Amino acid sequence: MNIPIDNTALIEAASKLKEKVTQEKRLWFLQKLIGAKFILPVVIVPEPVDNKIPADATVNYFSMKTSKGLVYLAVFTSGEELEKWNKNPNKMYLIRSYDDIKKMVLNTKGYDGFVIDPCGCNIAIQNSLMQSIERISNPNVIIKPEKVQTEGNMGLKPVNDPPENIVKALREYFDSQDNISAAYYMETIRKGEEDPTPVVVVEFCKDGSLKAAFDGIAAVAHSVMKQGETIGFMPSFDKVAQKYIIGVTPFYKK
């Protein structure tokens, strides 16, 4: 069953994680998870006509119950995995992102999470993990580049000895990303504050979602930072960043 989604990287990450659980492999899996799209089998009543769903139609999803009584929404990474579970050639499905699945599960009473490929990798993502990912992916820090500007600040200046734990984690992560070519560790003093705030200026070599890119970088940084520590991010093409990174040696460069 040919369905146009590609979860090869997610399956590879899941396989590696099952072989041996390490912080690096866990983080790699979570990064692939939040960027994935899944096949969501459904039953629509009444059935669509000419691919049009009636306004009064009811969409029903499939769930699975464990021996411990936990209920998981069933999702699939490919048409082949879907067919392992149900060979009905007329089955209907939707394609939904991780974020769509997360919202559906967390906002619907009765779900304890969702299960990926129950006849394949069979990995259950529980509500507690999704909530943890949400806190990491949307930390209480500056992750939108427009929030770090010179207005009310004292500009940016390079940090000669950035924290090794942060730059090490970021270097490893950047090596796995084909859209990042360089990064600079800077700092700024924001209006009304005395202590500097670290800012990572990132040079991108491919187009894509800026928010998604910075969400991923923020998750990596905060996985090694102490509770309450903050960090900002800016793209190198920002006119403010362009001004201050001239002549500065990046801590990461492909």
Side-chain angles (χ1 to χ4, degrees):
M1 186 177 184
N2 186 20
I3 299 178
I5 61 173
D6 183 4
N7 282 304
T8 305
L10 175 64
I11 296 302
E12 182 182 356
S15 177
K16 295 292 185 183
L17 185 63
K18 282 192 168 186
E19 289 175 3
K20 183 179 180 181
V21 177
T22 66
Q23 178 65 14
E24 182 180 359
K25 290 181 179 179
R26 185 174 184 273
L27 184 60
W28 180 34
F29 171 75
L30 294 180
Q31 290 300 321
K32 299 307 177 185
L33 174 67
I34 63 177
K37 289 186 178 180
F38 296 99
I39 300 167
L40 183 63
V42 297
V43 173
I44 302 176
V45 181
E47 291 189 7
V49 178
D50 296 330
N51 292 323
K52 294 182 180 180
I53 300 176
D56 60 346
T58 301
V59 180
N60 301 283
Y61 307 101
F62 292 89
S63 60
M64 308 188 75
K65 193 172 184 178
T66 71
S67 58
K68 295 183 179 180
L70 300 176
V71 178
Y72 295 120
L73 178 71
V75 304
F76 301 85
T77 59
S78 68
E80 291 74 18
E81 289 297 331
L82 179 57
E83 287 188 324
K84 289 180 185 178
W85 173 76
N86 186 334
K87 294 186 180 297
N88 180 358
N90 298 316
K91 55 187 168 292
M92 292 178 283
Y93 65 87
L94 303 172
I95 296 179
R96 293 291 182 263
S97 68
Y98 163 79
D99 195 51
D100 295 328
I101 300 296
K102 176 197 70 179
K103 290 176 182 177
M104 181 185 303
V105 172
L106 293 181
N107 294 334
T108 303
K109 186 177 180 180
Y111 284 128
D112 296 292
F114 67 95
V115 59
I116 302 171
D117 294 345
C119 298
C121 68
N122 192 28
I123 290 183
I125 308 299
Q126 295 187 338
N127 290 351
S128 58
L129 177 58
M130 285 186 282
Q131 290 163 344
S132 176
I133 294 173
E134 180 73 8
R135 287 192 295 270
I136 294 173
S137 297
N138 298 284
N140 185 26
V141 297
I142 304 163
I143 59 172
K144 292 185 178 180
E146 62 270 23
K147 288 187 178 180
V148 183
Q149 301 291 354
T150 53
E151 183 179 354
N153 297 328
M154 296 178 65
L156 299 172
K157 68 176 184 179
V159 177
N160 294 325
D161 297 303
E164 183 58 31
N165 61 329
I166 297 178
V167 296
K168 181 177 183 295
L170 290 178
R171 285 184 184 123
E172 292 177 354
Y173 177 68
F174 292 158
D175 280 340
S176 69
Q177 304 299 300
D178 62 0
N179 62 330
I180 296 173
S181 56
Y184 304 79
Y185 203 98
M186 314 287 282
E187 66 181 19
T188 187
I189 297 179
R190 295 180 291 184
K191 183 178 181 180
E193 297 183 2
E194 295 182 359
D195 295 328
T197 297
V199 178
V200 175
V201 178
V202 183
E203 181 180 301
F204 295 96
C205 53
K206 286 187 177 181
D207 293 333
S209 169
L210 199 60
K211 182 182 185 306
F214 281 126
D215 280 352
I217 298 169
V220 174
H222 277 266
S223 70
V224 296
M225 292 174 68
K226 295 179 181 178
Q227 183 71 27
E229 289 184 326
T230 62
I231 189 168
F233 302 94
M234 297 178 70
S236 63
F237 56 75
D238 184 284
K239 64 180 181 180
V240 175
Q242 287 179 354
K243 174 181 178 182
Y244 288 100
I245 63 174
I246 296 175
V248 176
T249 301
F251 72 88
Y252 175 83
K253 190 173 182 63
K254 275 195 174 76

